[in-house]
Amino acid sequence: MTADPISIAEARTTVLDATRPLDAVTVAVEEALGSVLAGEVRAASDVPPFACSAMDGYAVEVGPAGRTLEVVGESRAGAPSDHPVRSGQAIRVSTGAAIPTGTGGVIRQEDVEERADAIRTGTPTSASQNVRHAGEDMRAGTVVLTPGTMLGAAELGAAVSAGAGAVTVARRPRVAILCTGDELRAPGEPLGPGEIHNCNGPMLSSLAQRAGAQVAACQRLPDDPAITRSALASGLEQADLLVISGGVSVGPHDHVKPALSALGVEQLFWRVALQPGRPTWFGAREGKLVFGLPGNPVSAVVTFTLFVRPALQAMQGLVSRAQLISDGRLAVAVARSPHREQALRVWVQRRDGELTVTPNGPQASHLVTSLLGADALAFIPQGEGELPAGSAVALEELAD
Ligand code: AMP
Ligand code: MG
């Protein structure tokens, strides 16, 4: 174990190597938004299950315009007609209604002249005109959704159409968030001398939920070794993943690392060559992951995004990571850091088919307002001098 800062990439590999997928659970589709599928979803039967009309109109035999046809029944959505279409006949059909046997095609209501108990066709009707065939959307038995898929509105719609009432998904990771600092007060509380509001608690809790986690606890801790240790111990009991903010530096009131070591949490790295976010700590105990994030709010958000979010996603088996946007081009020159890769907060514009990225104002790690309106992190490799305007930079989307 070296005390030298490691690269962002190395730190992420270490995190993912220590991450294990969570067990699967079965939940009702109504509860599944944002969960990640653990098994396949196959179509239980053809979708649509029966041939049906794509229009409001009349089921008729194939034939020319100018026919007069007797209307002998009606097939409504949910109430099919058992009367077949025969020569010289028509059956009124609604959109989505099963088409009667003997139907050649459906002529739209707008294309007929309606008379008492009869219609006169104004256009010809060809085979299968305005007919939706059984299985056009899904064939019985085909795989509609694969494991690792995040369930959004479209996926839930497809699962329900496929016949699923419940889906097998990864259990949501349980996260405990502990914000250390004698100076912290709860949101809205009046501040005494030297005190500040705990903005990391709500931010980290929101980011964890956006990454699919269930927040089991979110609490403040004073800078006290015994309290820190017992809070970390109970956090390790109740959660799959612990996020600690502050207290991981080298000050006399930073008690997190000794407490974790006493609790048998193995340190896997401490310090990343990253700006902001250098003093990030990561360790594990019996499959539970512990992240010690720097207390500065911007550092906490950046390091959560870079290290905690991928761990939460991997725990849930998420396959595609939509937040990896690709490359953008710098709108302005940016000073490089000789020792650290920078994760700049930027806003992103599409210009001439390219993503143009502009730093989102001052970048100091205590400026919460520098996160407002930021779309992504842009990575500036370490080095001397400036990275010129127009340079390609890798981007990673920030959660909203
Ligand atoms: P630390 O990492 O504990 O040395 O804290 C670094 C800086 O972040 C200090 O200015 C802290 O006051 C500030 N800070 C720590 N925790 C929080 C928090 N939960 N919310 C807002 N600021 C914090
Ligand atoms: Mg502190």
Side-chain angles (χ1 to χ4, degrees):
M1 174 73 47
T2 164
D4 284 346
I6 61 173
S7 68
I8 297 175
E10 216 178 319
R12 293 224 241 206
T13 302
T14 306
V15 168
L16 292 178
D17 284 349
T19 303
R20 301 284 166 269
L22 293 173
D23 38 312
V25 291
T26 300
V27 296
V29 286
E30 292 85 353
E31 307 298 321
L33 178 67
S35 286
V36 178
L37 263 189
E40 287 176 342
V41 173
R42 285 174 184 265
S45 54
D46 279 352
V47 179
F50 47 85
C52 57
S53 176
M55 293 285 168
D56 289 327
Y58 293 86
V60 296
E61 285 190 328
V62 169
R67 292 178 289 166
T68 299
L69 305 171
E70 184 193 2
V71 179
V72 293
E74 181 177 16
S75 179
R76 291 160 48 192
S81 162
D82 49 19
H83 201 302
V85 175
R86 295 201 179 90
S87 184
Q89 295 183 335
I91 291 181
R92 181 178 254 290
V93 288
S94 319
T95 304
I99 56 163
T101 54
T103 300
V106 171
I107 183 164
R108 300 187 311 164
Q109 187 168 313
E110 300 90 308
D111 296 332
V112 305
E113 192 183 304
E114 289 176 325
R115 301 177 175 172
D117 301 329
I119 53 166
R120 187 163 173 80
T121 60
T123 55
T125 302
S126 57
S128 291
Q129 179 178 313
N130 296 323
V131 172
R132 298 173 180 163
H133 296 289
E136 234 179 65
D137 199 359
M138 304 175 192
R139 280 257 163 241
T142 52
V143 175
V144 178
L145 297 169
T146 50
T149 302
M150 162 84 76
L151 296 172
E155 289 75 16
L156 290 173
V160 170
S161 294
V167 281
T168 303
V169 297
R171 176 167 69 72
R172 287 187 176 272
R174 283 190 291 266
V175 171
I177 296 163
L178 302 172
C179 295
T180 71
D182 284 336
E183 73 277 33
L184 302 180
R185 285 291 157 268
E189 260 186 12
L191 299 179
E195 293 179 344
I196 60 169
H197 288 119
N198 172 21
C199 70
N200 288 354
M203 282 203 299
L204 295 170
S205 169
S206 307
L207 291 172
Q209 291 173 73
R210 286 276 195 257
Q214 180 194 330
V215 177
C218 181
Q219 64 185 96
R220 281 175 292 138
L221 293 182
D223 291 316
D224 173 276
I227 297 176
T228 301
R229 184 169 160 174
S230 77
L232 292 177
S234 56
L236 281 165
E237 289 305 313
Q238 63 188 149
D240 304 300
L241 185 153
L242 220 55
V243 179
I244 304 153
S245 108
V248 285
S249 291
V250 289
H253 307 293
D254 292 334
H255 303 298
V256 169
K257 288 195 289 129
L260 288 170
S261 155
L263 291 166
V265 182
E266 185 196 355
Q267 174 177 314
L268 296 171
F269 65 76
W270 180 46
R271 289 180 175 153
V272 182
L274 159 68
Q275 188 177 26
R278 185 172 190 267
T280 304
W281 191 97
F282 174 64
R285 188 183 85 174
E286 292 159 5
K288 301 207 172 187
L289 306 184
V290 181
F291 293 85
L293 308 184
N296 272 310
V298 175
S299 311
V301 168
V302 167
T303 52
F304 185 101
T305 302
L306 294 182
F307 307 119
V308 186
R309 178 166 71 175
L312 290 172
Q313 291 173 333
M315 281 174 151
Q316 296 169 87
L318 185 66
V319 171
S320 87
R321 304 249 205 90
Q323 76 269 12
L324 297 174
I325 303 179
S326 73
D327 285 355
R329 291 209 177 269
L330 280 178
V332 295
V334 172
R336 281 194 273 231
S337 157
H339 307 297
R340 296 195 267 173
E341 188 170 353
Q342 294 172 73
L344 290 188
R345 277 77 62 215
V346 297
W347 50 282
V348 181
Q349 277 173 303
R350 187 171 287 282
R351 234 187 256 162
D352 303 330
E354 274 191 337
L355 299 178
T356 303
V357 306
T358 309
N360 200 41
Q363 296 279 324
S365 63
H366 63 293
L367 302 173
V368 187
T369 52
S370 76
L371 294 166
L372 298 175
D375 302 311
L377 297 174
F379 297 95
I380 310 295
Q382 68 187 59
E384 303 294 334
E386 279 188 339
L387 196 60
S391 302
V393 285
L395 295 175
E396 191 155 326
E397 195 181 345
L398 283 163
D400 51 10

